[in-house]
Amino acid sequence: MTLRLPPVGTDGDIRLIRTSLPLVREDHQDCPRGIALRARPFLEQTPERSRRKPVEDFALAPVTRALDAVELDGTAVDVALERLARNRAYHPGHIRWACDAVRNYLAVRTEAESERRVLGRPQTVGVREEWTCVTQRKSPDARGAIRYERTAWGRRYASADGSERELWLLSVNSPRTDRPTAEIAEAASVAATGLPSRSTFRDIHRPVEGSTALPAQVRVVGVGCGDGQLVVLADWNAEEIAQRFARHAKPALGRIVADSRLNPGSGCVRCEALAGCEQPPRTSGLLGVPAPRRPRKRRSVSATDLRIHARCPALFHLTRVLHLKSHEPESEPIRRGRAVDTWLNEQHRQGGCRGIDLPSRLPELADDEQHTALSMLGQHVRACPLDDLGPEEQVQVQKRLTAYDPVLDAVIVADPDLLYTRAGGWIWHETKTASRRPYEGRELLETHPQLALAVLLMAAGVPGGDSRRSLIELELLYENNSGREEIDPGDPDTVDMARQIIAALAGPWALDETYAPRPDRHCHGCEMLRYCTPGQERAKAEESA
């Protein structure tokens, strides 16, 4: 299908195509059509949607703000961080994390410059101007474009004589080592051939004063702001960069700006064409929450988001919105659950567990953790739901399901462990590892809110099929036995109960604009305790009690 421009429900100039590194990743979770539209930055939803953010939702925003002050304006580090702390655009926990992240980054930069001196390479200093590769045409091409801009967001550095450039790609926690070859090649190419420029909102990149000398050597560096670790992704000369760009990045760029395939998911929150798109399904009022009085930026939400927000809004904002992670070791149940899920997902992608021999060990776990995890796998293998499935049935593993509530302007997402068809209906299968059976006094849907959301989605026709034959299964794996519960998403009483549970969770989430901490017994051992003063005070009180 040809990409339709402009899409229904949008307006704006389509003659500029601007690409960035995230677009070149071609992540399978992204929507190809959404990526192609993001490459047209002047396209906007009409009527215009709210972009208000009560609190900053980009983890690296305060980090880059402080680094600009230090590296480009010569501000002392302590002064830059003090200014940051006074900025009310950021959550208090976000500021505390950002201060650590800035110090981590500057420390690794200092170390990297020292290594350059040892190797006899020239010193590099921060560059304020963006590097942009521009191609200008006199008339529109087959895509309707007269101007192409290729950009690469990151921290920019160059030697005084312009012979070397460095582009540092920031990650929130640890440096990404899984960046696609095309992304690294494109980053190096932009750094090697881009000219100094600057852009304001809804404007093209315009040339500015700065060194136009193109480098002979470029380094692309990945750095984790959370752990202060560094990885060199590329250290290439101009000729090698040109070859790698032609081989890897250029074909990817050609694909992403013209792809019209749909794959709804979390990326729908950024899409200007969502209002007029045929996907995802519209489910007005799914969460049981009215539109807020003050519209805000579109968000996505999952059952896990709602559960964590109910536990502590601050924890939700730091981990689910900003995606901050603790560097403390994970607990054994979390590691075990992930190891079991990983193995099961791989078998299910291959068709099921019939006749499969259990592994001798799971690589993610220590020796004393193996027995319990392997016993749980054994419980599942003896009754894998795919074993008796006919060849005509469909099986989807970790398939992202999406719905859109236009009233709340929220994208609802869910990732079932396993989806499969049976006699025309869809079976939504969740697998949980546990050390003991759940407390019988609590309703199953309340204990596992993702099941309540699954009920509402299936009742609304997601993922489709014959609703009378659809079912939700919960498989509980213990060390020595297992259990299975079935939930009918078509039962009116079950749907009513699910609506009550989800509405009770979604109401506070939808209205929250501060994400204040909720100190309680869970503070002791909380992964974000380091950045939460009220939580630290509660944990100390628990210890001294």
Side-chain angles (χ1 to χ4, degrees), residues 1 5 32 47 67 72 88 99 120 141 155 215 235 270 280 347-349 376 399 442 447 467 492-493:
M1 183 184 297
L5 294 170
L67 290 176
L72 304 178
R88 294 195 174 186
C99 289
D141 62 10
R155 306 293 303 171
D235 194 349
R270 298 187 298 267
Q347 306 314 311
H348 293 158
R349 289 189 180 98
M376 290 177 170
K399 168 67 175 180
R442 297 187 65 187
T447 304
S467 59
D493 290 340

Side-chain angles (χ1 to χ4, degrees), residues 47-300:
E48 187 176 356
R49 61 190 176 99
S50 175
R51 301 174 194 277
R52 185 180 71 89
K53 296 193 292 186
V55 64
E56 179 59 57
D57 60 2
F58 178 42
L60 295 174
V63 177
T64 56
R65 184 187 186 101
L67 290 176
D68 282 348
V70 173
E71 295 186 320
L72 304 178
D73 300 331
T75 305
V77 176
D78 290 343
V79 173
L81 297 183
E82 183 181 351
R83 291 175 184 168
L84 202 62
R86 295 197 300 265
N87 193 322
R88 294 195 174 186
Y90 310 118
H91 187 277
H94 191 182
I95 290 175
R96 295 189 69 174
W97 174 86
C99 289
D100 283 353
V102 168
R103 295 187 188 279
N104 289 341
Y105 183 92
L106 293 174
V108 75
R109 264 292 299 169
T110 300
E111 182 179 348
E113 282 300 294
S114 297
E115 291 179 358
R116 288 183 66 90
R117 287 194 296 271
V118 170
L119 295 174
R121 299 179 71 162
Q123 178 183 4
T124 62
V125 295
V127 174
R128 188 183 302 274
E129 298 79 20
E130 296 182 60
W131 293 323
T132 309
C133 302
V134 176
T135 300
Q136 185 74 45
R137 298 174 52 87
K138 292 183 178 180
S139 59
D141 62 10
R143 302 186 184 109
I146 61 172
R147 183 180 177 89
Y148 288 81
E149 296 180 352
R150 293 168 40 228
T151 65
W153 184 84
R155 306 293 303 171
R156 297 168 296 276
Y157 304 93
S159 59
D161 62 0
S163 64
E164 294 203 24
R165 285 181 180 178
E166 289 193 351
L167 180 63
W168 284 44
L169 306 180
L170 283 63
S171 297
V172 175
N173 299 298
S174 300
R176 288 191 57 180
T177 57
D178 61 345
R179 294 182 187 270
T181 303
E183 181 184 359
I184 298 173
E186 172 66 349
S189 177
V190 172
T193 60
L195 296 178
S197 69
R198 194 168 298 153
S199 175
T200 56
F201 181 65
R202 294 192 57 77
D203 191 14
I204 64 173
H205 281 80
R206 300 184 182 278
V208 297
E209 291 185 3
S211 174
T212 57
L214 297 181
Q217 192 76 17
V218 165
R219 279 210 324 169
V220 179
V221 176
V223 59
C225 293
D227 62 9
Q229 297 299 308
L230 173 151
V231 58
V232 177
L233 302 171
D235 194 349
W236 303 330
N237 61 36
E239 182 179 356
E240 186 174 6
I241 291 171
Q243 293 173 351
R244 290 177 181 266
F245 171 78
R247 187 181 312 128
H248 302 294
K250 188 175 181 179
L253 290 167
R255 289 191 299 268
I256 65 173
V257 299
D259 204 332
S260 64
R261 292 173 299 145
L262 274 177
N263 182 33
S266 299
C268 293
V269 299
R270 298 187 298 267
C271 187
E272 297 299 316
L274 177 60
C277 186
E278 58 266 40
Q279 290 287 340
R282 269 51 179 171
T283 54
S284 296
L286 180 75
L287 300 180
V289 179
R293 287 180 298 175
R294 298 183 65 200
R296 59 187 293 172
K297 178 183 176 183
R298 182 184 298 143
R299 296 180 288 169
S300 67

Side-chain angles (χ1 to χ4, degrees), residues 326 328-339 364-365 369 525 527:
S326 170
E328 297 296 323
E330 291 180 312
S331 67
E332 179 180 348
I334 292 177
R335 292 196 305 274
R336 181 175 61 232
R338 183 170 56 245
E364 302 93 335
L365 302 179
E369 299 171 341
E527 59 184 305

Side-chain angles (χ1 to χ4, degrees), residues 3 18 20 92 191 203 248 274 287 314 345 397 405 448 494 496 531:
L3 182 65
R18 178 185 295 159
S20 60
D203 191 14
H248 302 294
L274 177 60
L287 300 180
N345 289 341
V397 181
D405 184 342
H448 302 286
T494 301
D496 286 344
Y531 310 115

Side-chain angles (χ1 to χ4, degrees), residues 523-534:
C523 292
H524 186 76
C526 174
E527 59 184 305
M528 291 291 111
L529 185 61
R530 177 174 179 175
Y531 310 115
C532 181
T533 300

